[in-house]
Amino acid sequence: MTWGEPAYEWVGDWTGKRASLSPDRTAIVDEGYGESYTYAALDRRANRTARLLEANGVVDGSRVALVTRNRIEMIDLFAACGKTGGVLAPLSYRLAPPELAELLELIDPQLLVIESPYVERLEHAIARASVEPTVLEIETDEPAGGWGIYDDELPADGSPVASCERSLGDPHLLLHTGGSTGTPKETTITHGSIHWNAFNTITAWGLRPDDIAPMVFPSFHTGGWNVLTLPILAMGGTLLIDREVDPGRVLEQVESEGATVLVAVPAVLRTMARHEDWASTDLSTLRFAKSGGGPCRDSIVQAWRERGVDLTQGYGLTEIGPNNFAMPDEFEPEKVASVGRPAPYVDARIVDEDGSPVEHGEIGELELSGPHAAAGYWGNETETAETFGEGWISTGDLARVDEDGYYHIEGRKKNMFVSGGENVFPPEVEDAVADHPAVEEVVVIGVPDETWGTVGKAVVEGDESLTIEELEAFLDGRIARFKIPAALAFVDEMPTSGPSKLDREAIAAEFGESA
């Protein structure tokens, strides 16, 4: 190695570097067990786990698959993979055995770590897959038997391990997409992607070393890692983790732990605002909250802002970010309907069907670019070429830029429909319908119509005494006539996919035949 040539020993050593700077600062509070870990303790755990990975061949690009709820071991495995050069692939415990089998074949892990509640599901998946990983069980229920127990196999030695030189272009995480159509794709998240997203988040959102944040996304989702977990750990802040996302427990944690930052999907924020402890919970420590994973209704934003919490909307996806936008200082209140302006190291543009940039105010597809982008889809060159293109990520989302440079998301490109020659964007209609006092949640889909080709149908969770005539009268003058739904249907509870995101495909499959 010549002078000036980087060794990149720092690239994967998340816990070692922070422990050398902030050894006694609290890194993780595991609310499930009531345990807390300093950065020094976290690094010792990572060193023990790195020795476990080395003993099982998870080095230099080899994979370890993980199926678990949010617990300290997921952080251990992430940090240990950074130290050994391994790649962590968290898998959703919500997937069916055939889907898990396909992902296991794609990932081809050396090691598979499973929390007890999901052992049976993974047994079926492994039986279907042509892979033979070493399997270890994180014991939380009665052990299944036949597999090693994770804690028993974990070495006791927490002393520093030999450093591993990694490039910013090497993979660190494989995160699968939502999987709303077919088996999810595995997205290759490099060390550089992770570091640059953390840098964007810290600089655009103003994260601080004294920030305390509940982590309410699952660990198999990009939200579980890149929204707050890794940016907070990079800053030396404190992360609160819990097994399940219970709105009442999150409220309790905000008050008891003095949380300063909260990011959650709209469904969680809505449920928290309707919880019986909402009015009595002290939210004064929260510097800000953000909604991500889908459009946030105005009623939810207002409920939080009435409690003195600065709630705004974020935007991102597994393939890039996911933290791409931020609200500027002293923004006008009405701009809260937008996702803000691009973060410091993000390029954004809106293009037409031919890929040419459109004028300000026009709606087109949002494309993003920056050093925080993923490297592509693992083992899928065709899909990589289609989505990642020539330096720009095609998001599949429609958006526009207003006269002040704020970006507004208008919905998924595939969800837009044409009614009588006019484009209808469901989020706009849903916002208007959601203002009706009888509506708790709504999804608008396009359905066939003999006269107009396609019309809207509002699928509502709420008071089933609401009639389509009452809804039409309520919307008259609020939105254009061609946007007003022509039909109405009800569900007891909206189906969800991924991290509590509304499952539009499931709704369209059940209600999309006709008006």
Side-chain angles (χ1 to χ4, degrees), residues 199-337:
F199 197 30
N200 268 323
T201 307
I202 290 164
T203 54
W205 294 7
L207 295 187
R208 305 188 312 214
D210 60 350
D211 274 328
I212 300 170
M215 202 277 276
V216 297
F217 292 91
S219 61
F220 56 79
H221 185 263
T222 186
W225 295 100
N226 289 316
V227 168
L228 273 182
T229 297
L230 299 177
I232 284 286
L233 294 181
M235 280 300 292
T238 301
L239 192 75
L240 314 178
I241 60 175
D242 207 347
R243 302 293 175 271
E244 311 291 346
V245 179
D246 177 82
R249 281 180 61 84
V250 178
L251 284 171
E252 179 184 335
Q253 291 161 14
V254 169
E255 179 171 299
S256 63
E257 302 289 350
T260 60
V261 177
L262 173 67
V263 184
V265 296
V268 171
L269 294 169
R270 180 187 67 174
T271 309
M272 290 175 69
R274 294 177 178 177
H275 194 274
E276 61 183 2
D277 294 333
W278 170 249
S280 60
T281 299
D282 183 1
L283 305 178
S284 62
T285 58
L286 282 174
R287 297 196 295 114
F288 65 85
K290 279 189 175 289
S291 170
C296 190
R297 307 287 179 232
D298 182 66
S299 59
I300 303 174
V301 174
Q302 293 308 314
W304 281 82
R305 295 179 79 83
E306 285 172 5
R307 288 296 321 273
V309 179
D310 179 18
L311 175 63
T312 58
Q313 301 189 72
Y315 174 86
L317 55 162
T318 308
E319 290 82 352
I320 183 165
N323 301 335
N324 293 289
F325 295 88
M327 299 300 287
D329 298 339
E330 308 300 330
F331 63 90
E332 295 297 322
E334 64 270 15
K335 297 299 186 182
V336 77

Side-chain angles (χ1 to χ4, degrees), residues 9 14 23 32 59 67 88 104 120 123-124 148-149 167 258 325 327 346 361 372 376 389 398 451 456 470 492:
E9 293 180 3
W14 280 76
V59 297
V67 183
L88 178 62
L104 286 174
E120 183 177 355
E123 284 179 328
H124 290 297
I149 300 301
S167 161
F325 295 88
M327 299 300 287
V346 178
H372 60 314
L398 295 168
T451 303
E470 290 173 354
D492 292 333

